[in-house]
Every structure is written in structure tokens, then in C-alpha cells.
């Protein structure tokens, strides 16, 4: 079941698409204009927002950009007519997940929501697997269960979520690089490269 916000100023589209989504097992909230949708988004979070690009009071594009700011985890499907395809494509580049060209059948919208739900599930499973792998790798390389080591594991987890520079101190052979790698692997930058440089092995002039 997905919590869907459906916004369209055409009552027929709202009712038909809303009923179809509910029949597919989803929870649906309807909004008739951009201002009403924005008010709903400011007080609660939806899994998927289905927005018409042509809305009164607050335009669909303005609503989409505001949604990206206040609800970045909400997936967005845009509904558009032929004359606004370029705007929809630009919105896709800015983070919208999909767009549907009017007119379309309710089954098309249901399929689009199902695709996003599946993608979201796969992303969550991948993130959980990455965290489990990082946790396994940390305990495999950093051995110890004393109070001091447990405190260090907790500190690694906390530091990894920060963008601050980190200075790791210790005598040679105590595992400074292992700690640095553990921080990297558990951080949002884990998909980027980790580069270890042995500065002590470089001549002073070359290091400079």
C-alpha cells in the first residue's frame, strides 16, 4: 500500500484516478489546486505525489520545486498535456521520477506507482545490505569487544555521517587507516574512491 497525493483541477480526473488507485490498494488524498496540495505537503509526508503541471493558484512546477525542498523523499509523477512536455522533461532532470502524457488510462498511473514502489523497495534493500556489509567489514578488520573498542565503533558510526574533516591519531601499526576506511565505508560517500597516501614514504620536497 502506498500513500498517494493526487492533484488535478479537473474533478473527473481526480475522481476516476483516485478510485482506481484505491481499488489497487493505495491510500489516496485528493487536491484540486496547487495551494491545497502545498498545504497538505507541509503537514504530512506522502510516498508518491501525482501532480498536474497546469494547476490554479500554485503552478505544478512551482509545487514540484517546493515539494523537492520540504519532502525530498517523496517520489513525483507529473501529468502533462502535449504542450508542456518540455517542462515535464526539465522536471525529470530536476528529480521527478516519471511523467504521464494526458489523456491516459487509470492502469497507466497504477503501473507507474507500482514501478516507483518497487524501485523504492529495492533502494531500501540495497541500503540495508550496504550497511550490513559495512558493519560486517568493520568488525572483521577491527577486532575487539572491550568498552573502549565498543566506544570507538560508536564514534565511527557518528563521525561517518558528518562532512567534517577527521584527524585520527595513534602510533604506527595501531590501525589508523583501518579506522579511516571504516568511516568511509559507513558514510554517504561510500560509493566514491578511498585514497590512502603514506606521507612518511614520500620525500619532503615531493610531499610539498
Amino acid at each position: 500500500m502506498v500513500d498517494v497525493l493526487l492533484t488535478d483541477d479537473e474533478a473527473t480526473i481526480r475522481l476516476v484516478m483516485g478510485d482506481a488507485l484505491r481499488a489497487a490498494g493505495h491510500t489516496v488524498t485528493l487536491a484540486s489546486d496547487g495551494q491545497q496540495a502545498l498545504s497538505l505537503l507541509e503537514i504530512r509526508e506522502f510516498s508518491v505525489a501525482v501532480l498536474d503541471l497546469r494547476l490554479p493558484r500554485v503552478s505544478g512546477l512551482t509545487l514540484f520545486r517546493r515539494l523537492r525542498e520540504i519532502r525530498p523523499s517523496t517520489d513525483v509523477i507529473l501529468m502533462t498535456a502535449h504542450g508542456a512536455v518540455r517542462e515535464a522533461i526539465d522536471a525529470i532532470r530536476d528529480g521527478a521520477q516519471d511523467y504521464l502524457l494526458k489523456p491516459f488510462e487509470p492502469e497507466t498511473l497504477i503501473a507507474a506507482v507500482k514501478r516507483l514502489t518497487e524501485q523504492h523497495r529495492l533502494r531500501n534493500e540495497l541500503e540495508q545490505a550496504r550497511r550490513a556489509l559495512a558493519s560486517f567489514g568493520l568488525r572483521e578488520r577491527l577486532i575487539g569487544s572491550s568498552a573502549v573498542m565498543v566506544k570507538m565503533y560508536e564514534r565511527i558510526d557518528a563521525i561517518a555521517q558528518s562532512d567534517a574533516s577527521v584527524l585520527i591519531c595513534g602510533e604506527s601499526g595501531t590501525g589508523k587507516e583501518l579506522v579511516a576506511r571504516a568511516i568511509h565505508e559507513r558514510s554517504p560517500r561510500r560509493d566514491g574512491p578511498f585514497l590512502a597516501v603514506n606521507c612518511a614514504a614520500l620525500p619532503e620536497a615531493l610531499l610539498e
Side-chain angles (χ1 to χ4, degrees), residues 76-168:
V76 178
I77 299 173
L78 299 172
M79 299 182 291
T80 181
H82 284 279
V85 170
R86 173 52 58 186
E87 293 178 359
I89 293 174
D90 289 341
I92 292 288
R93 291 171 179 164
D94 290 336
Q97 278 68 38
D98 202 353
Y99 77 92
L100 303 177
L101 195 60
K102 288 183 172 181
F104 55 84
E105 296 298 323
E107 290 76 13
T108 303
L109 177 57
I110 293 171
V113 171
K114 183 178 180 180
R115 283 196 303 272
L116 292 184
T117 304
E118 182 66 13
Q119 291 171 10
H120 191 71
R121 181 185 67 80
L122 291 175
R123 284 197 302 269
N124 286 340
E125 290 181 357
L126 179 59
E127 182 61 27
Q128 291 173 6
R130 283 174 172 169
R131 289 185 179 277
L133 183 60
S135 178
F136 174 78
L138 174 62
R139 295 305 178 97
E140 283 291 296
R141 291 189 293 273
L142 296 174
I143 301 172
S145 57
S146 66
V148 173
M149 290 299 293
V150 170
K151 186 175 181 180
M152 186 179 70
Y153 298 145
E154 293 173 350
R155 184 164 296 180
I156 287 173
D157 284 334
I159 291 172
Q161 305 310 311
S162 170
D163 289 329
S165 299
V166 181
L167 175 63
I168 304 170

Side-chain angles (χ1 to χ4, degrees), residues 63-79:
L63 176 60
F64 163 70
R65 294 187 181 112
R66 181 61 179 148
L67 186 154
R68 288 269 66 85
E69 294 175 357
I70 63 176
R71 302 295 182 189
S73 63
T74 298
D75 291 331
V76 178
I77 299 173
L78 299 172
M79 299 182 291

